[in-house]
Amino acid sequence: FGTHFVTFQGARTRYFDEYFRAAADAGVRQIVILAAGLDSRAYRLDWPTGTTVFELDLPSVLEFKRRTLDDYGAAPRALRQEVPVDLRDDWPAALRASGFDDGEPSAWIAEGLLVYLPAAAQEQLFTGLDSLGCAGSRLAVEEGRPMDREAFRAKVEEAKAATDMRGEWWQLIYNEQIAPAAQWFSSHGWTTEATALTDYLISVDRAVPTDDAEVTNMITSITLVSGVKR
């Protein structure tokens, strides 16, 4: 994906960083990063005193990140609480067991995640988030619009013969959606706002790619969603 992917990642990072800063300014002190991977916000952002960043992911992923950042001498700027769990299991129970208080506001992020989940798993994730978010809680989600099914099948078959990152990516993703996130959470008591990635790129003075049809289609299908629970 080259330069276009770097531009997309940079803009997406800015969107979610600003979301977390606004949540912190509003007094939220529980941060939940779903499928945290190598997300370094616990280390990068200036968190207010008393903030806990809960990172949910597989044990091996969390251990690798901790070990690597420790080797670099990096220190988190908040209390970083690892929650080693597979999101297909009972992750809400694991989160509570790690000290999460569902009676206090929280700020959630699902960045670069939904595309790797079938619709049933998205439903499970949204339901768990909604059950743990009390009034004043916040969410931020990145989602993509599903492709035509036949076109998606053809793309996956084509990708099987590819040897680059793009080919591998097509074989990892699902082409499913339970409902647009803004719609789903609005129906469950959240006030939501959906921003097309193309609009956000323009707002931060970044070009929308037009020279690569596949990348352009991907970029134009993505929406960034944020919300506050009423």
Side-chain angles (χ1 to χ4, degrees):
F1 295 110
T3 301
H4 296 314
F5 187 71
V6 173
T7 298
F8 155 58
Q9 290 278 30
R12 184 177 75 176
T13 297
R14 176 171 174 172
Y15 176 89
F16 289 117
D17 283 358
E18 291 178 343
Y19 154 77
F20 276 130
R21 291 189 181 103
D25 289 345
V28 177
R29 297 294 180 264
Q30 295 189 113
I31 308 301
V32 184
I33 304 179
L34 299 165
L38 302 182
D39 189 301
S40 62
R41 289 187 174 92
Y43 297 80
R44 283 197 301 105
L45 301 184
D46 293 321
W47 299 105
T49 301
T51 300
T52 300
V53 179
F54 296 92
E55 297 189 3
L56 284 71
D57 213 317
L58 299 173
S60 58
V61 175
L62 295 174
E63 194 278 330
F64 170 79
K65 177 165 68 174
R66 178 182 2 98
R67 184 179 69 249
T68 301
L69 290 173
D70 284 350
D71 288 346
Y72 276 101
R77 299 184 177 186
L79 175 60
R80 177 174 172 268
Q81 182 64 53
E82 295 183 2
V83 186
V85 66
D86 190 317
L87 291 178
R88 293 170 293 186
D89 298 331
D90 189 0
W91 61 265
L95 183 58
R96 288 192 182 99
S98 297
F100 179 84
D101 183 356
D102 58 12
E104 293 294 328
S106 47
W108 301 71
I109 182 175
E111 178 183 13
L113 171 60
L114 298 187
V115 69
Y116 299 105
L117 301 177
Q122 292 177 33
E123 176 79 38
Q124 181 182 7
L125 188 78
F126 286 4
T127 300
L129 193 165
D130 179 55
S131 70
L132 295 174
C134 67
S137 293
R138 299 178 176 228
L139 64 87
V141 175
E142 175 200 1
E143 65 179 354
R145 182 176 62 252
M147 294 174 57
D148 171 80
R149 290 185 180 181
E150 290 303 317
F152 179 74
R153 290 194 189 100
K155 197 66 192 177
V156 172
E157 287 302 313
E158 176 188 327
K160 290 179 180 178
T163 58
D164 60 2
M165 184 185 74
R166 191 179 301 198
E168 294 176 357
W169 183 77
W170 279 104
Q171 296 178 69
L172 291 173
I173 66 173
Y174 288 86
N175 188 47
E176 302 179 17
Q177 185 183 57
I178 54 167
Q183 175 184 319
W184 194 97
F185 283 102
S186 291
S187 69
H188 288 76
W190 299 71
T191 299
T192 60
E193 179 180 1
T195 303
L197 177 59
T198 50
D199 292 340
Y200 187 72
L201 286 169
I202 293 169
S203 75
V204 296
D205 197 27
R206 293 292 183 269
V208 177
T210 58
D211 59 341
D212 185 321
E214 186 174 317
V215 174
T216 300
N217 289 338
M218 181 189 73
I219 293 295
T220 56
S221 75
I222 294 174
T223 301
L224 304 173
V225 178
S226 61
V228 180
K229 193 165 190 180
R230 300 188 292 272

